[in-house]
């Protein structure tokens, strides 16, 4: 491993501008995590226009800081209000809020901050070694491999992510359909443009992301926020005791490792990792009855796992050009806006950005730990700001922001349309994430599929003749048929257990 570009990445991060935006990203992420509902995907989508004037590495450092900063910020509302600020902090509610009811809110927040720091740091170290290896392996990828990878990624995101699988697949199909709008890149024929010149170049990613994640979330939160309970005025004893640290150390270690591996999977991410970590801690415990009643391991494990997963989910994005979750899809869009195409060649062609972003996470995690505990009091006061005050300001920033990207009134209309669509999707139980991911991967899938068919002279079995694409397609079939096979096996086991046992003659 050549250490020169790695060390140069630290010099990139330590430039005053990059350091400042790393601090801004972490702070904004924590603030956004505190506000229930408005997660990192929505925030990054809203801030996309502001990143256009920045250097690519600076903008991605800030957006990455927002992502992992929000993982901890969401913990605060989970513990204090029994209201997850982020989907990845849902399980923290179980024991975090129970600890708060016992007067241990400070301890829960303190152990969450320490677990987040350790989980994030373990994941960054592993990321530094694994990412170049994955990128080196992916250099052998051609159009058939990218076709199979994009197909598998869309399916995994739709089936593994939280929520109804059928609805996720419908959302993904809608995203693929939206990706076909505009002029055909191969033939020049217009598709689904309805003779509207604004649609000739296709739908732009920015208004879709800002509408679905930004405006849609704001509308939905206005309806949900009134259900929140009142936050306590003060939080004391934030530093965990030695006994708390000893009791949590195993959960933090296991959560960090588990979160790293699950974060790499498309559709895995922080939410699945925190759920898996909580389940693992409960199964391992000799006193599982304590979980849900204030077990500190129930906070430490998931909080370590979700930060580790948030970091490792950069691996498929930076090395394969495949976003693993909705937030990564928005960051993928930010990279494209900056003229940077993420993929296996990014390590060699733009090492300053690659290592600058990775190394910024070391600095960002330290900033997160330094700021999280002293700023708890400030976050408690922010929780008292009414949503009816924040929402109009955020909507105005969203609409002005999208207009400044291309000076287009049409884009404002698109944001409103997709904002209403995002609100309806949330109301009806559809996750907008698969739609955005499929939209992002749609053009990649279509162009590589058509190139592959040209290579194979129209024979689709050609995909199976190449080892990597063939393996990925077999995985695709296994994932697609997995739920059906699982139900068949369960029915067979149930039938077997119901049969009467023959008495020996």
């Amino acid at each position: 491993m050549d250490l020169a570009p790695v060390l140069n990445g630290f010099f990139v991060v330590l430039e005053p501008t990059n350091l400042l935006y790393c601090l801004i990203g972490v702070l904004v992420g924590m603030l956004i995590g505190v506000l229930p509902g408005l997660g990192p995907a929505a925030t990054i989508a809203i801030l996309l226009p502001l990143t256009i004037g920045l250097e690519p590495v600076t903008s991605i450092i800030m957006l990455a800081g927002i992502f992992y900063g929000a993982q901890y910020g969401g913990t605060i509302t989970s513990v204090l209000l029994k209201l997850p600020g982020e989907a990845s902090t849902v399980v923290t509610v179980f024991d975090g809020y129970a600890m708060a009811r016992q007067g241990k809110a400070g301890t829960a927040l303190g152990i969450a901050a320490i677990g987040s720091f350790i989980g994030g740091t373990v994941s960054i170290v592993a990321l530094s070694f694994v990412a170049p290896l994955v990128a080196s392996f992916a250099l052998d990828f051609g159009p058939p491999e990218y076709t199979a990878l994009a197909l598998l990624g869309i399916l995994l995101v739709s089936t593994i992510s939280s929520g109804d699988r059928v609805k996720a697949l419908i959302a993904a199909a809608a995203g693929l359909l939206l990706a076909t709008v505009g002029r055909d890149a191969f033939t020049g024929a217009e598709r689904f443009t309805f003779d509207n010149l604004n649609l000739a170049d296709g739908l732009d990613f920015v208004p879709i992301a800002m509408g679905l994640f930004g405006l849609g979330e704001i509308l939905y939160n206005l309806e949900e926020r009134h259900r929140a309970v009142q936050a306590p005025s003060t939080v004391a004893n934030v530093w965990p005791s030695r006994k708390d640290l000893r009791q949590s150390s195993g959960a933090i270690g296991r959560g960090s490792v588990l979160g790293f591996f699950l974060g790499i999977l498309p559709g895995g991410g922080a939410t699945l990792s925190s759920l898996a970590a909580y389940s693992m801690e409960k199964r391992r415990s000799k006193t599982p009855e304590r979980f849900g009643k204030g077990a500190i391991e129930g906070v430490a494990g998931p909080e370590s796992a979700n930060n580790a997963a948030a970091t490792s989910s950069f691996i498929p994005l930076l090395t394969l050009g495949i976003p693993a979750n909705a937030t990564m899809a928005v960051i993928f869009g930010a990279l494209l806006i900056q003229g940077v195409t993420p993929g296996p060649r990014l390590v060699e062609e733009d090492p300053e950005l690659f290592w600058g972003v990775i190394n910024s996470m070391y600095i960002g995690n330290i900033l997160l730990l330094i700021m999280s505990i002293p700023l708890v009091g400030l976050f408690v006061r922010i929780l008292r700001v009414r949503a009816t005050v924040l929402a109009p300001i955020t909507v105005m920033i969203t609409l002005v922001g999208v207009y400044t990207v291309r000076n287009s009134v049409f884009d404002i209309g698109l944001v409103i349309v997709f904002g209403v669509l995002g609100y309806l999707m949330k109301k009806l139980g559809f996750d907008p994430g698969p739609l955005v991911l499929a939209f992002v991967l749609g053009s990649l899938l279509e162009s590589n599929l058509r190139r592959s068919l040209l290579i194979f002279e129209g024979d689709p079995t050609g995909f199976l003749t190449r080892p990597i694409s063939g393996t990925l397609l077999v995985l695709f079939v296994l994932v697609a048929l997995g739920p059906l096979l699982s139900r068949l096996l369960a029915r067979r086991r149930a039938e077997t257990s119901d049969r009467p046992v023959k008495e020996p003659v």
Side-chain angles (χ1 to χ4, degrees):
M1 184 176 177
D2 186 4
L3 291 179
V6 182
L7 295 175
N8 190 44
F10 279 110
F11 289 120
V12 171
V13 184
L14 293 176
E15 287 177 13
T17 305
N18 292 334
L19 210 53
L20 174 65
Y21 277 93
C22 184
L23 174 66
I24 292 172
V26 171
L27 190 58
V28 170
M30 291 169 75
L31 289 170
I32 291 304
V34 167
L35 300 173
L38 196 63
T43 308
I44 293 171
I46 292 169
L47 294 179
L48 277 178
L50 297 180
T51 64
I52 292 174
L54 301 175
E55 290 293 320
V57 65
T58 306
S59 67
I60 304 304
I61 283 174
M62 183 183 74
L63 298 182
I66 292 173
F67 186 32
Y68 52 77
Q71 305 306 320
Y72 175 73
T75 307
I76 297 173
T77 52
S78 293
V79 171
L80 300 181
L81 300 180
K82 200 182 179 183
L83 186 65
E86 264 293 292
S88 60
T89 58
V90 166
V91 292
T92 307
V93 167
F94 304 151
D95 288 285
Y97 186 67
M99 288 179 72
R101 294 282 301 264
Q102 297 164 12
K104 299 178 183 174
T107 305
L109 292 174
I111 204 69
I114 293 169
S116 297
F117 171 74
I118 295 174
T121 304
V122 167
S123 191
I124 299 164
V125 172
L127 167 67
S128 302
F129 288 97
V130 172
L133 294 176
V134 176
S136 174
F137 173 71
L139 284 173
D140 295 332
F141 279 26
E145 285 74 24
Y146 273 109
T147 304
L149 191 62
L151 269 176
L152 182 62
I154 293 170
L155 182 67
L156 281 173
V157 167
S158 305
T159 54
I160 294 180
S161 58
S162 57
D164 189 290
R165 289 180 181 176
V166 175
K167 290 180 178 178
L169 286 171
I170 292 171
L176 288 175
L177 183 64
L178 289 172
T180 63
V181 173
R183 197 172 286 115
D184 188 317
F186 286 74
T187 65
E190 292 190 354
R191 302 181 299 190
F192 306 114
T193 60
F194 307 102
D195 296 326
N196 188 327
L197 286 177
N198 291 303
L199 293 174
D201 291 330
L203 290 166
D204 190 54
F205 173 77
V206 175
I208 291 179
M210 293 179 78
L212 285 174
F213 290 127
L215 195 57
E217 290 284 348
I218 294 165
L219 293 173
Y220 185 74
N221 291 336
L222 275 176
E223 190 174 287
E224 295 290 311
R225 186 74 186 271
H226 70 278
R227 298 177 190 171
V229 298
Q230 193 67 32
S233 55
T234 57
V235 174
N237 301 323
V238 177
W239 293 104
S241 65
R242 286 187 179 180
K243 181 186 173 189
D244 294 328
L245 289 171
R246 197 165 47 248
Q247 201 171 349
S248 307
S249 57
I252 291 174
R254 288 185 290 273
S256 302
V257 175
L258 182 70
F260 173 78
F261 285 106
L262 289 181
I264 298 173
L265 293 176
T271 305
L272 181 66
S273 304
S274 60
L275 287 167
Y278 187 83
S279 175
M280 181 171 69
E281 290 308 316
K282 191 173 179 180
R283 276 203 311 272
R284 283 182 54 87
S285 175
K286 294 176 181 175
T287 53
E289 65 276 6
R290 290 190 301 111
F291 282 75
K293 298 174 184 173
I296 197 167
E297 303 96 311
V299 176
E303 287 300 316
S304 310
N306 66 26
N307 260 58
T311 302
S312 64
S313 60
F314 276 87
I315 292 178
L317 175 70
L318 294 178
T319 59
L320 300 174
I322 301 289
N325 51 55
T327 307
M328 286 297 110
V330 184
I331 294 179
F332 181 89
L335 283 165
L336 294 181
I337 290 170
Q338 294 281 355
V340 177
T341 304
R345 298 195 181 279
L346 187 67
V347 185
E348 294 177 357
E349 293 177 355
D350 202 344
E352 287 196 353
L353 185 142
F354 184 83
W355 288 111
V357 170
I358 290 178
N359 292 345
S360 74
M361 297 179 193
Y362 289 105
I363 309 292
N365 258 288
I366 294 171
L367 292 173
L368 184 68
L369 182 66
I370 293 173
M371 291 192 296
S372 57
I373 294 177
L375 291 181
V376 164
L378 172 66
F379 296 140
V380 169
R381 281 195 285 277
I382 290 172
L383 283 171
R384 294 174 173 274
V385 178
R386 287 180 298 172
T388 49
V389 175
L390 291 173
I393 298 172
T394 315
V395 170
M396 189 176 294
I397 292 172
T398 304
L399 296 180
V400 171
V402 75
Y403 178 76
T404 57
V405 175
R406 299 194 301 179
N407 295 331
S408 168
V409 177
F410 182 76
D411 284 352
I412 294 180
L414 277 182
V415 167
I416 294 171
V417 169
F418 281 100
V420 173
L421 178 63
Y423 166 75
L424 292 174
M425 289 180 75
K426 294 279 284 185
K427 285 283 288 181
L428 299 173
F430 286 85
D431 182 3
L435 188 153
V436 173
L437 271 161
F439 176 78
V440 168
L441 293 178
S443 56
L444 179 78
L445 174 63
E446 183 187 3
S447 59
N448 282 293
L449 174 63
R450 292 168 74 171
R451 286 193 187 101
S452 301
L453 290 174
L454 287 173
I455 293 170
F456 299 139
E457 297 179 344
D459 181 9
T461 59
F463 287 101
L464 301 174
T465 62
R466 296 169 67 111
I468 299 174
S469 61
T471 305
L472 290 171
L473 286 177
V474 170
L475 283 174
F476 177 87
V477 173
L478 290 175
V479 172
L481 297 179
L484 179 63
L485 293 174
S486 177
R487 278 198 293 272
L488 286 174
L489 286 174
R491 187 182 300 173
R492 177 67 63 88
R493 279 198 295 268
E495 288 173 357
T496 306
S497 62
D498 290 342
R499 285 177 190 164
V501 179
K502 291 182 180 179
E503 295 292 336
V505 178

